[in-house]
């Protein structure tokens, strides 16, 4: 194998950044990766000194890399860090990822909380999917997981929940919401203000491309080789992902430009759709734009 | 040469760089990483016949 040298030193490169025309070795790539996360945290005022932050930790590459980077950031910015994992009850899948999550928490030296659908709502995701055959399993899982994470974080006095959403997730969701004509959902794509009853969510990986996260996780020996979730088959997201990845390959930097363009119009979207969820669920009292929130629709009866 | 693709051995005739290998396997560059002895290699790394079996192409796990 003939490997080019790092653009900044004499070491072998581990990655070529097509959008920047640079080769980076492990050290320089790690520095870039961590600096990008620190810059996002600072520019978006995501974490303040002394706050209690919990990473929503699935045990996959994104949340594991996020936990690792946040645990290192604590050396410069003192804050409390914990991790919460959700056992949705997906047969043959979740146990392995929970094992990886546990290992990463031990390595980062943080407390690991595990909550389960079964314990909190008396049903597993597999039960809910069987009952709600017309709904997309990822949609059911997302709605229930978000609520359980939020409720548990509130109980634990967590100030902010850190999510492993990466650049690819964000630009895919951006495109999907545009294509579905759901612009109101874009107003909270990147930033979510603290609202009564809701723990603020932060996305420090929003400028981190998914492939770079995979390489970072590989370089820092994270145990993230898991089978794909058996429920993950959203045809629409797959189509959008493929289309964006094809464009990125042909025109490197496209994902960064999409995010950057979105951030320029984000504030006007936020003003336009502020308080659009003005109603409260008649069943649980959570903010919603319909009579009964999606969580209650999914889990009651 | 034998290359490991998503954990399975695959025999193929190949010479070129990692980007070209990814394309030849039918993947998009953004969707996989290429490693040599578990160490990631850049897309412009040139793969030679003697690297057989040490080269692994793994899909980025989509969450």
């Amino acid at each position: 194998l003939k490997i080019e040298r790092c653009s900044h030193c004499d070491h072998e490169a581990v990655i070529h950044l097509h959008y920047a025309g640079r080769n980076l070795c492990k050290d320089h790539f790690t520095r870039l990766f961590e600096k990008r996360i620190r810059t996002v945290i600072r520019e978006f005022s995501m974490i303040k000194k002394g706050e209690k932050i919990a990473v929503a930790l699935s045990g996959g590459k994104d949340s594991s890399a996020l936990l690792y980077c946040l645990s290192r950031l604590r050396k410069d910015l003192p804050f409390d860090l914990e991790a919460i994992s959700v056992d949705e009850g997906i047969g043959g899948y979740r146990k392995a990822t929970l094992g990886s999550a546990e290992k990463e928490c031990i390595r980062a030296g943080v407390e690991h909380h595990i909550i389960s659908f079964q314990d909190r709502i008396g049903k597993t995701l597999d039960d809910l999917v069987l009952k709600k055959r017309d709904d997309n399993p990822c949609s059911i899982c997302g709605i229930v997981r978000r609520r359980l994470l939020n409720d548990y974080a509130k109980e634990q006095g967590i100030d902010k929940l850190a999510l492993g959403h990466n650049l690819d997730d964000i630009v895919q969701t951006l495109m999907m919401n545009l294509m579905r004509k759901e612009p109101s959902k874009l107003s909270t794509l990147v930033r979510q203000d603290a609202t009564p009853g809701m723990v603020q969510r932060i996305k420090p990986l929003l400028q981190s491309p998914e492939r770079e996260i995979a390489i970072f996780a590989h370089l820092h020996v994270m145990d993230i080789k898991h089978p794909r979730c058996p429920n993950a088959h959203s045809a629409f997201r797959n189509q959008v992902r493929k289309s964006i990845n094809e464009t990125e390959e042909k025109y490197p930097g496209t994902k960064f430009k999409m995010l950057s363009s979105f951030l320029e119009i984000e504030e006007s979207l936020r003003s336009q759709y502020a308080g659009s969820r003005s109603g409260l669920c008649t069943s649980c009292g959570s903010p919603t734009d319909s009579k009964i929130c999606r969580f209650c629709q999914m889990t009651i009866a | 040469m034998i290359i490991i693709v998503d954990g399975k051995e695959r025999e193929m005739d190949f010479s070129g760089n990692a980007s070209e290998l990814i394309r030849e396997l039918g993947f998009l560059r953004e969707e996989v990483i290429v490693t040599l002895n578990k160490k990631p290699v850049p897309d412009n790394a040139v793969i030679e016949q003697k690297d057989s079996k040490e080269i692994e192409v793994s899909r980025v796990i989509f969450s």
Side-chain angles (χ1 to χ4, degrees), chain A residues 2 18 61 211 249 255, chain B residues 29-30 32 43 46 61:
Chain A
K2 288 179 191 153
H18 294 270
K61 65 183 186 314
R211 191 183 190 217
E249 193 162 324
K255 291 175 191 173
Chain B
R29 193 173 64 209
E30 292 291 300
V32 294
D43 294 327
V46 177
I61 303 163

Side-chain angles (χ1 to χ4, degrees), chain A residues 211, chain B residues 22 27-34 57-60:
Chain A
R211 191 183 190 217
Chain B
I22 292 168
F27 292 121
L28 287 170
R29 193 173 64 209
E30 292 291 300
E31 295 180 348
V32 294
I33 60 173
V34 180
V57 179
S58 315
R59 210 178 269 269
V60 168

